[in-house]
C-alpha cells in the first residue's frame, strides 16, 4: 500500500474548490503523507483564480498561479517536477469526485501507471440539448475498465491517473502539444515504445463540466488541428486517421473536401445551435479533418 502521494491538479478557467476539498478529506481519512498541488495554467478569467484561493486554507495544499499559459503537456510536467513524493495522482481540475474510495483505491493499486477512468455526470438544465453531454454519454460504455484493458495504450486520458514520479521525469509529456488534444494519446505511445504497461482499474472521476455547444465545436476543431499537425506520429492511434487513409486509397478525399465546402457551415450551424444532432457531429469531424488534410 502506498503511504505517500502527491495529488496534482492542472486547472484552466475552472473552479476546483469542491474537488480539492473532497480529495483532502479522503487523504486525511486514509492517514497517509500527502500533498495536493494545484497549478493554474495562466487563466484569463481572474475570478476563477481568485475563487480557487479558498483551497489554500486547507492543510498540505499548494496553489501555483502561472502568469502565462504553458499548455496541457508543459503544465503537467511542471507539476511532476514540483511534487515531492514518489507516487503522483493527476486529476483534471474540472472533474467531480463522487467516488468515496478514490484515494484508497489508488493506494492499493498495482502498476507503475494506472488509469482510473471516468463516468458521466449530469446537471439539470445544463445537459439538455448539450452536444458535449450527448457525445460523452454515447461513448460512456467504452469507458469501463474491461473495455479499456482491450486497448490499454489507446484508451488512456490524463484526466485521472496514477504514475510513479520517476517515470514522469524520465518520460515527460511532449511539450510540442501546446493546444487542445492528443498529448495523452502520444504519451501512451511513448510508454508502449518503452515497455511501460498501463494498468486499467475502475476508479473513476466524474465528468461534470459540459461547455456550451459553440465552445465544444471550437475545442473539437482545435483537437483536429492538433491531430493534423501530428498525424504521421499518431497513425496507429486514431480511428479518424485510419478512416482518412482508407478514403485516400479510394480517391474520395476531394469529394469529402468538396462536401465540407458545400455544407460544412450548415452542419456547424446545427452543432452550435440549440438542438444539435450527434450523428452530424461525427460527419462534421470527418469533413473538417479531411479539409485540413487537403489544405496541408
Amino acid at each position: 500500500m502506498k503511504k505517500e502521494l502527491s495529488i496534482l491538479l492542472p486547472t484552466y478557467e475552472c473552479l476546483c474548490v469542491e474537488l480539492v476539498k473532497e480529495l483532502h478529506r479522503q487523504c486525511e481519512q486514509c492517514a497517509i503523507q500527502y500533498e495536493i498541488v494545484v497549478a493554474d495554467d495562466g487563466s484569463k478569467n481572474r475570478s476563477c483564480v481568485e475563487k480557487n484561493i479558498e483551497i489554500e486554507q486547507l492543510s498540505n495544499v499548494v496553489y501555483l498561479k502561472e502568469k502565462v499559459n504553458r499548455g496541457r503537456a508543459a503544465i503537467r510536467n511542471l507539476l511532476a517536477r514540483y511534487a515531492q513524493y514518489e507516487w503522483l495522482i493527476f486529476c483534471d481540475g474540472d472533474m467531480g469526485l463522487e467516488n468515496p474510495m478514490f484515494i484508497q483505491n489508488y493506494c492499493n493499486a498495482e502498476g507503475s501507471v494506472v488509469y482510473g477512468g471516468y463516468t458521466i455526470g449530469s446537471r439539470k438544465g445544463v445537459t439538455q440539448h448539450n452536444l458535449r453531454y450527448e457525445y460523452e454519454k454515447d461513448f460512456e460504455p467504452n469507458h469501463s475498465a474491461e473495455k479499456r484493458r482491450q486497448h490499454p495504450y489507446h484508451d488512456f486520458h490524463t484526466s485521472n491517473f496514477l504514475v510513479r514520479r520517476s517515470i514522469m521525469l524520465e518520460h515527460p509529456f511532449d511539450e510540442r502539444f501546446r493546444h487542445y488534444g492528443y498529448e495523452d494519446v502520444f504519451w501512451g505511445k511513448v510508454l508502449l515504445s518503452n515497455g511501460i504497461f498501463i494498468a486499467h482499474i475502475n476508479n473513476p472521476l466524474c465528468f461534470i463540466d459540459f461547455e456550451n455547444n459553440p465552445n465544444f465545436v471550437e475545442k473539437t476543431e482545435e483537437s483536429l488541428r492538433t491531430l493534423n499537425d501530428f498525424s504521421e506520429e499518431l497513425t496507429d492511434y486514431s480511428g479518424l486517421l485510419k478512416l482518412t487513409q482508407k478514403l485516400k486509397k479510394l480517391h474520395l478525399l476531394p469529394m469529402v473536401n468538396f462536401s465540407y465546402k458545400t455544407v460544412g457551415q450548415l452542419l456547424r450551424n446545427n452543432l452550435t445551435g440549440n438542438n444539435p444532432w450527434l450523428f452530424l457531429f461525427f460527419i462534421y469531424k470527418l469533413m473538417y479533418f479531411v479539409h485540413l488534410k487537403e489544405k496541408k
Side-chain angles (χ1 to χ4, degrees):
M1 178 176 173
K2 299 166 185 65
K3 298 291 186 179
E4 298 180 336
L5 289 175
S6 291
I7 304 169
L8 311 175
L9 283 75
T11 65
Y12 181 75
E13 307 283 347
C14 71
L15 300 178
C16 66
V17 175
E18 295 306 315
L19 174 58
V20 172
K21 285 182 177 179
E22 178 59 17
L23 289 167
H24 182 269
R25 186 194 68 78
Q26 291 192 24
C27 287
E28 290 288 316
Q29 191 176 52
C30 290
I32 58 174
Q33 294 291 319
Y34 73 95
E35 63 177 349
I36 300 174
V37 185
V38 178
D40 181 86
D41 194 17
S43 291
K44 297 177 182 179
N45 185 347
R46 301 311 299 173
S47 66
C48 283
V49 179
E50 293 168 2
K51 289 177 181 177
N52 285 335
I53 288 176
E54 181 182 342
I55 65 177
E56 294 180 327
Q57 300 174 11
L58 299 170
S59 60
N60 303 321
V61 174
V62 177
Y63 187 23
L64 307 176
K65 309 171 194 68
E66 296 298 301
K67 294 182 179 180
V68 297
N69 181 262
R70 293 173 173 268
R72 294 168 60 85
I75 196 65
R76 288 172 172 80
N77 292 340
L78 179 147
L79 282 164
R81 293 192 299 269
Y82 186 93
Q84 60 176 312
Y85 295 126
E86 177 184 7
W87 289 100
L88 315 178
I89 296 176
F90 278 89
C91 304
D92 278 0
D94 58 357
M95 302 295 280
L97 180 49
E98 300 175 356
N99 175 4
M101 298 296 293
F102 181 77
I103 294 297
Q104 187 66 57
N105 288 341
Y106 271 140
C107 285
N108 296 332
E110 297 182 0
S112 296
V113 182
V114 183
Y115 175 47
Y118 63 93
T119 57
I120 312 303
S122 178
R123 289 182 177 179
K124 187 176 181 180
V126 175
T127 55
Q128 187 177 17
H129 304 305
N130 182 277
L131 183 61
R132 181 63 182 270
Y133 175 74
E134 293 181 8
Y135 172 79
E136 297 293 349
K137 286 297 291 184
D138 187 66
F139 275 90
E140 188 170 25
N142 296 322
H143 299 322
S144 70
E146 291 75 18
K147 282 283 189 179
R148 290 185 269 117
R149 289 181 189 126
Q150 296 175 16
H151 305 283
Y153 296 97
H154 294 67
D155 291 329
F156 169 81
H157 300 280
T158 53
S159 57
N160 170 25
F161 71 101
L162 169 82
V163 60
R164 193 183 290 272
R165 183 171 182 264
S166 59
I167 289 178
M168 274 293 299
L169 297 182
E170 186 174 354
H171 305 288
F173 285 97
D174 192 323
E175 296 189 9
R176 292 177 299 162
F177 288 81
R178 282 194 49 83
H179 301 290
Y180 183 76
Y182 292 95
E183 80 286 344
D184 45 6
V185 177
F186 188 78
W187 197 62
K189 178 182 178 180
V190 170
L191 295 185
L192 175 60
S193 64
N194 286 276
I196 301 171
F197 184 67
I198 301 177
H200 288 262
I201 65 173
N202 181 33
N203 194 37
L205 288 175
C206 186
F207 197 103
I208 58 173
D209 186 22
F210 304 101
E211 61 268 74
N212 62 39
N213 295 342
N215 286 346
F216 179 50
V217 172
E218 289 175 5
K219 285 178 67 174
T220 299
E221 292 170 342
E222 183 179 0
S223 73
L224 293 175
R225 292 193 293 271
T226 299
L227 180 60
N228 187 44
D229 290 340
F230 295 94
S231 57
E232 292 185 6
E233 295 164 276
L234 295 172
T235 299
D236 296 326
Y237 286 77
S238 165
L240 188 57
L241 280 175
K242 292 178 181 179
L243 177 57
T244 303
Q245 286 298 319
K246 290 180 180 178
L247 293 174
K248 182 178 181 179
K249 291 179 180 179
L250 295 171
H251 307 287
L252 294 176
L253 293 186
M255 183 185 73
V256 177
N257 187 38
F258 177 77
S259 298
Y260 172 79
K261 294 178 179 179
T262 305
V263 300
Q265 187 59 51
L266 292 176
L267 268 60
R268 196 179 194 279
N269 290 344
N270 171 267
L271 299 173
T272 57
N274 296 324
N275 193 24
W277 189 10
L278 186 60
F279 175 73
L280 292 182
F281 178 65
F282 299 118
I283 299 299
Y284 180 78
K285 283 179 62 177
L286 173 62
M287 294 197 317
Y288 183 85
F289 186 69
V290 168
H291 177 66
L292 293 176
K293 298 294 287 184
E294 291 292 277
K295 284 176 60 178
K296 188 175 181 180

